mmCIF file of all heavy atoms in Angstrom:
data_model
loop_
_atom_site.group_PDB
_atom_site.id
_atom_site.type_symbol
_atom_site.label_atom_id
_atom_site.label_comp_id
_atom_site.label_asym_id
_atom_site.label_seq_id
_atom_site.Cartn_x
_atom_site.Cartn_y
_atom_site.Cartn_z
ATOM 1 N N SER A 288 120.455 90.008 31.095
ATOM 2 C CA SER A 288 120.087 88.804 31.855
ATOM 3 C C SER A 288 119.961 87.600 30.930
ATOM 4 O O SER A 288 120.244 86.462 31.321
ATOM 5 C CB SER A 288 118.778 89.037 32.617
ATOM 6 O OG SER A 288 117.664 89.081 31.731
ATOM 7 N N GLY A 289 119.539 87.848 29.670
ATOM 8 C CA GLY A 289 119.472 86.753 28.708
ATOM 9 C C GLY A 289 120.850 86.269 28.295
ATOM 10 O O GLY A 289 121.088 85.070 28.139
ATOM 11 N N LEU A 290 121.782 87.218 28.147
ATOM 12 C CA LEU A 290 123.151 86.849 27.784
ATOM 13 C C LEU A 290 123.891 86.176 28.940
ATOM 14 O O LEU A 290 124.818 85.388 28.725
ATOM 15 C CB LEU A 290 123.922 88.105 27.345
ATOM 16 C CG LEU A 290 123.442 88.772 26.043
ATOM 17 C CD1 LEU A 290 124.170 90.087 25.838
ATOM 18 C CD2 LEU A 290 123.652 87.844 24.853
ATOM 19 N N GLY A 291 123.476 86.498 30.171
ATOM 20 C CA GLY A 291 124.179 85.958 31.335
ATOM 21 C C GLY A 291 123.778 84.550 31.713
ATOM 22 O O GLY A 291 124.474 83.879 32.468
ATOM 23 N N ARG A 292 122.642 84.071 31.181
ATOM 24 C CA ARG A 292 122.193 82.700 31.495
ATOM 25 C C ARG A 292 122.591 81.759 30.372
ATOM 26 O O ARG A 292 122.270 81.981 29.212
ATOM 27 C CB ARG A 292 120.669 82.660 31.694
ATOM 28 C CG ARG A 292 120.153 81.247 31.973
ATOM 29 C CD ARG A 292 118.718 81.282 32.471
ATOM 30 N NE ARG A 292 117.770 81.646 31.431
ATOM 31 C CZ ARG A 292 117.144 80.780 30.631
ATOM 32 N NH1 ARG A 292 117.432 79.475 30.711
ATOM 33 N NH2 ARG A 292 116.270 81.195 29.746
ATOM 34 N N LYS A 293 123.248 80.696 30.719
ATOM 35 C CA LYS A 293 123.695 79.711 29.744
ATOM 36 C C LYS A 293 122.498 79.117 29.002
ATOM 37 O O LYS A 293 121.491 78.761 29.617
ATOM 38 C CB LYS A 293 124.485 78.600 30.446
ATOM 39 C CG LYS A 293 125.140 77.604 29.498
ATOM 40 C CD LYS A 293 125.976 76.584 30.281
ATOM 41 C CE LYS A 293 126.638 75.588 29.336
ATOM 42 N NZ LYS A 293 127.446 74.588 30.075
ATOM 43 N N LEU A 294 122.618 79.042 27.701
ATOM 44 C CA LEU A 294 121.607 78.469 26.818
ATOM 45 C C LEU A 294 120.333 79.315 26.728
ATOM 46 O O LEU A 294 119.323 78.867 26.189
ATOM 47 C CB LEU A 294 121.236 77.041 27.250
ATOM 48 C CG LEU A 294 122.385 76.030 27.253
ATOM 49 C CD1 LEU A 294 121.874 74.661 27.692
ATOM 50 C CD2 LEU A 294 123.032 75.929 25.875
ATOM 51 N N ALA A 295 120.364 80.522 27.246
ATOM 52 C CA ALA A 295 119.209 81.404 27.105
ATOM 53 C C ALA A 295 119.131 81.918 25.672
ATOM 54 O O ALA A 295 120.116 81.859 24.930
ATOM 55 C CB ALA A 295 119.313 82.573 28.079
ATOM 56 N N GLU A 296 117.965 82.407 25.282
ATOM 57 C CA GLU A 296 117.778 82.921 23.930
ATOM 58 C C GLU A 296 117.459 84.407 23.984
ATOM 59 O O GLU A 296 116.569 84.833 24.715
ATOM 60 C CB GLU A 296 116.635 82.182 23.235
ATOM 61 C CG GLU A 296 116.919 80.701 23.014
ATOM 62 C CD GLU A 296 115.710 79.980 22.452
ATOM 63 O OE1 GLU A 296 114.596 80.547 22.537
ATOM 64 O OE2 GLU A 296 115.881 78.853 21.945
ATOM 65 N N VAL A 297 118.197 85.181 23.200
ATOM 66 C CA VAL A 297 117.890 86.598 23.032
ATOM 67 C C VAL A 297 117.359 86.769 21.622
ATOM 68 O O VAL A 297 117.992 86.366 20.656
ATOM 69 C CB VAL A 297 119.137 87.483 23.247
ATOM 70 C CG1 VAL A 297 118.813 88.937 22.932
ATOM 71 C CG2 VAL A 297 119.637 87.357 24.684
ATOM 72 N N ARG A 298 116.194 87.336 21.489
ATOM 73 C CA ARG A 298 115.576 87.520 20.168
ATOM 74 C C ARG A 298 116.063 88.848 19.592
ATOM 75 O O ARG A 298 115.485 89.909 19.839
ATOM 76 C CB ARG A 298 114.062 87.451 20.304
ATOM 77 C CG ARG A 298 113.619 86.072 20.839
ATOM 78 C CD ARG A 298 112.129 85.959 21.010
ATOM 79 N NE ARG A 298 111.806 84.619 21.477
ATOM 80 C CZ ARG A 298 111.465 84.327 22.734
ATOM 81 N NH1 ARG A 298 111.411 85.276 23.648
ATOM 82 N NH2 ARG A 298 111.183 83.092 23.073
ATOM 83 N N TRP A 299 117.120 88.749 18.820
ATOM 84 C CA TRP A 299 117.791 89.962 18.337
ATOM 85 C C TRP A 299 116.952 90.724 17.313
ATOM 86 O O TRP A 299 117.151 91.928 17.108
ATOM 87 C CB TRP A 299 119.151 89.592 17.748
ATOM 88 C CG TRP A 299 120.102 89.093 18.804
ATOM 89 C CD1 TRP A 299 120.533 87.817 18.985
ATOM 90 C CD2 TRP A 299 120.705 89.870 19.846
ATOM 91 N NE1 TRP A 299 121.373 87.745 20.072
ATOM 92 C CE2 TRP A 299 121.495 88.979 20.616
ATOM 93 C CE3 TRP A 299 120.649 91.214 20.204
ATOM 94 C CZ2 TRP A 299 122.223 89.409 21.720
ATOM 95 C CZ3 TRP A 299 121.370 91.645 21.309
ATOM 96 C CH2 TRP A 299 122.148 90.733 22.048
ATOM 97 N N GLY A 300 116.012 90.051 16.664
ATOM 98 C CA GLY A 300 115.124 90.757 15.739
ATOM 99 C C GLY A 300 114.270 91.773 16.470
ATOM 100 O O GLY A 300 114.108 92.922 16.030
ATOM 101 N N VAL A 301 113.729 91.354 17.613
ATOM 102 C CA VAL A 301 112.928 92.266 18.437
ATOM 103 C C VAL A 301 113.811 93.381 18.988
ATOM 104 O O VAL A 301 113.436 94.559 18.982
ATOM 105 C CB VAL A 301 112.246 91.497 19.576
ATOM 106 C CG1 VAL A 301 111.495 92.461 20.503
ATOM 107 C CG2 VAL A 301 111.280 90.459 19.019
ATOM 108 N N ALA A 302 115.003 93.001 19.480
ATOM 109 C CA ALA A 302 115.929 94.008 20.028
ATOM 110 C C ALA A 302 116.306 95.033 18.966
ATOM 111 O O ALA A 302 116.404 96.239 19.248
ATOM 112 C CB ALA A 302 117.183 93.314 20.570
ATOM 113 N N GLY A 303 116.503 94.555 17.729
ATOM 114 C CA GLY A 303 116.852 95.462 16.642
ATOM 115 C C GLY A 303 115.753 96.470 16.361
ATOM 116 O O GLY A 303 116.022 97.661 16.126
ATOM 117 N N LYS A 304 114.503 96.017 16.367
ATOM 118 C CA LYS A 304 113.369 96.930 16.169
ATOM 119 C C LYS A 304 113.320 97.980 17.278
ATOM 120 O O LYS A 304 113.003 99.149 17.036
ATOM 121 C CB LYS A 304 112.060 96.142 16.135
ATOM 122 C CG LYS A 304 111.894 95.257 14.914
ATOM 123 C CD LYS A 304 110.596 94.475 14.988
ATOM 124 C CE LYS A 304 110.437 93.534 13.801
ATOM 125 N NZ LYS A 304 109.182 92.733 13.904
ATOM 126 N N MET A 305 113.623 97.567 18.500
ATOM 127 C CA MET A 305 113.623 98.503 19.620
ATOM 128 C C MET A 305 114.703 99.570 19.439
ATOM 129 O O MET A 305 114.460 100.760 19.670
ATOM 130 C CB MET A 305 113.841 97.738 20.933
ATOM 131 C CG MET A 305 112.645 96.924 21.361
ATOM 132 S SD MET A 305 113.007 95.780 22.730
ATOM 133 C CE MET A 305 113.817 96.868 23.888
ATOM 134 N N VAL A 306 115.884 99.153 19.020
ATOM 135 C CA VAL A 306 116.973 100.107 18.829
ATOM 136 C C VAL A 306 116.626 101.111 17.730
ATOM 137 O O VAL A 306 116.913 102.315 17.863
ATOM 138 C CB VAL A 306 118.292 99.371 18.497
ATOM 139 C CG1 VAL A 306 119.373 100.367 18.094
ATOM 140 C CG2 VAL A 306 118.749 98.552 19.703
ATOM 141 N N ILE A 307 115.992 100.635 16.674
ATOM 142 C CA ILE A 307 115.557 101.549 15.608
ATOM 143 C C ILE A 307 114.560 102.568 16.164
ATOM 144 O O ILE A 307 114.638 103.767 15.863
ATOM 145 C CB ILE A 307 114.929 100.757 14.441
ATOM 146 C CG1 ILE A 307 116.005 99.939 13.722
ATOM 147 C CG2 ILE A 307 114.246 101.705 13.458
ATOM 148 C CD1 ILE A 307 115.447 98.973 12.690
ATOM 149 N N ALA A 308 113.626 102.098 16.988
ATOM 150 C CA ALA A 308 112.655 103.011 17.605
ATOM 151 C C ALA A 308 113.356 104.020 18.499
ATOM 152 O O ALA A 308 112.995 105.204 18.525
ATOM 153 C CB ALA A 308 111.621 102.213 18.410
ATOM 154 N N TRP A 309 114.371 103.567 19.246
ATOM 155 C CA TRP A 309 115.131 104.489 20.096
ATOM 156 C C TRP A 309 115.794 105.577 19.262
ATOM 157 O O TRP A 309 115.768 106.752 19.621
ATOM 158 C CB TRP A 309 116.212 103.732 20.869
ATOM 159 C CG TRP A 309 115.696 102.730 21.861
ATOM 160 C CD1 TRP A 309 114.393 102.517 22.224
ATOM 161 C CD2 TRP A 309 116.467 101.807 22.623
ATOM 162 N NE1 TRP A 309 114.310 101.516 23.154
ATOM 163 C CE2 TRP A 309 115.568 101.055 23.426
ATOM 164 C CE3 TRP A 309 117.826 101.524 22.709
ATOM 165 C CZ2 TRP A 309 116.000 100.070 24.300
ATOM 166 C CZ3 TRP A 309 118.255 100.527 23.580
ATOM 167 C CH2 TRP A 309 117.348 99.810 24.363
ATOM 168 N N ALA A 310 116.403 105.156 18.141
ATOM 169 C CA ALA A 310 117.113 106.113 17.296
ATOM 170 C C ALA A 310 116.162 107.117 16.653
ATOM 171 O O ALA A 310 116.521 108.280 16.439
ATOM 172 C CB ALA A 310 117.902 105.375 16.222
ATOM 173 N N LEU A 311 114.936 106.678 16.355
ATOM 174 C CA LEU A 311 113.978 107.546 15.680
ATOM 175 C C LEU A 311 113.213 108.456 16.633
ATOM 176 O O LEU A 311 112.662 109.479 16.212
ATOM 177 C CB LEU A 311 112.969 106.694 14.901
ATOM 178 C CG LEU A 311 113.492 105.950 13.661
ATOM 179 C CD1 LEU A 311 112.375 105.087 13.079
ATOM 180 C CD2 LEU A 311 113.999 106.940 12.619
ATOM 181 N N THR A 312 113.169 108.096 17.910
ATOM 182 C CA THR A 312 112.297 108.794 18.854
ATOM 183 C C THR A 312 112.558 110.289 18.917
ATOM 184 O O THR A 312 111.650 111.108 18.716
ATOM 185 C CB THR A 312 112.427 108.178 20.256
ATOM 186 O OG1 THR A 312 111.926 106.846 20.229
ATOM 187 C CG2 THR A 312 111.638 108.975 21.285
ATOM 188 N N LEU A 313 113.785 110.673 19.209
ATOM 189 C CA LEU A 313 114.073 112.098 19.389
ATOM 190 C C LEU A 313 113.820 112.899 18.108
ATOM 191 O O LEU A 313 113.100 113.907 18.146
ATOM 192 C CB LEU A 313 115.505 112.287 19.901
ATOM 193 C CG LEU A 313 115.794 113.632 20.575
ATOM 194 C CD1 LEU A 313 116.835 113.474 21.676
ATOM 195 C CD2 LEU A 313 116.272 114.670 19.572
ATOM 196 N N PRO A 314 114.357 112.490 16.945
ATOM 197 C CA PRO A 314 114.081 113.268 15.728
ATOM 198 C C PRO A 314 112.619 113.236 15.301
ATOM 199 O O PRO A 314 112.096 114.240 14.817
ATOM 200 C CB PRO A 314 114.992 112.621 14.678
ATOM 201 C CG PRO A 314 115.340 111.279 15.211
ATOM 202 C CD PRO A 314 115.345 111.430 16.689
ATOM 203 N N ALA A 315 111.929 112.091 15.472
ATOM 204 C CA ALA A 315 110.523 112.014 15.067
ATOM 205 C C ALA A 315 109.658 112.941 15.918
ATOM 206 O O ALA A 315 108.812 113.684 15.394
ATOM 207 C CB ALA A 315 110.024 110.569 15.185
ATOM 208 N N ALA A 316 109.852 112.901 17.231
ATOM 209 C CA ALA A 316 109.101 113.799 18.113
ATOM 210 C C ALA A 316 109.466 115.254 17.842
ATOM 211 O O ALA A 316 108.606 116.145 17.932
ATOM 212 C CB ALA A 316 109.376 113.445 19.576
ATOM 213 N N ALA A 317 110.738 115.507 17.501
ATOM 214 C CA ALA A 317 111.172 116.869 17.186
ATOM 215 C C ALA A 317 110.458 117.396 15.943
ATOM 216 O O ALA A 317 110.048 118.567 15.894
ATOM 217 C CB ALA A 317 112.684 116.906 16.973
ATOM 218 N N ILE A 318 110.293 116.549 14.933
ATOM 219 C CA ILE A 318 109.596 116.960 13.703
ATOM 220 C C ILE A 318 108.138 117.296 14.000
ATOM 221 O O ILE A 318 107.619 118.334 13.557
ATOM 222 C CB ILE A 318 109.703 115.856 12.633
ATOM 223 C CG1 ILE A 318 111.145 115.745 12.125
ATOM 224 C CG2 ILE A 318 108.758 116.150 11.463
ATOM 225 C CD1 ILE A 318 111.399 114.541 11.248
#
Side-chain angles (χ1 to χ4, degrees):
S288 72
L290 294 173
R292 178 167 71 91
K293 187 177 180 180
L294 300 180
E296 295 174 343
V297 175
R298 299 179 178 104
W299 293 108
V301 176
K304 291 178 182 178
M305 288 169 50
V306 172
I307 291 172
W309 295 354
L311 290 176
T312 294
L313 200 148
I318 291 170

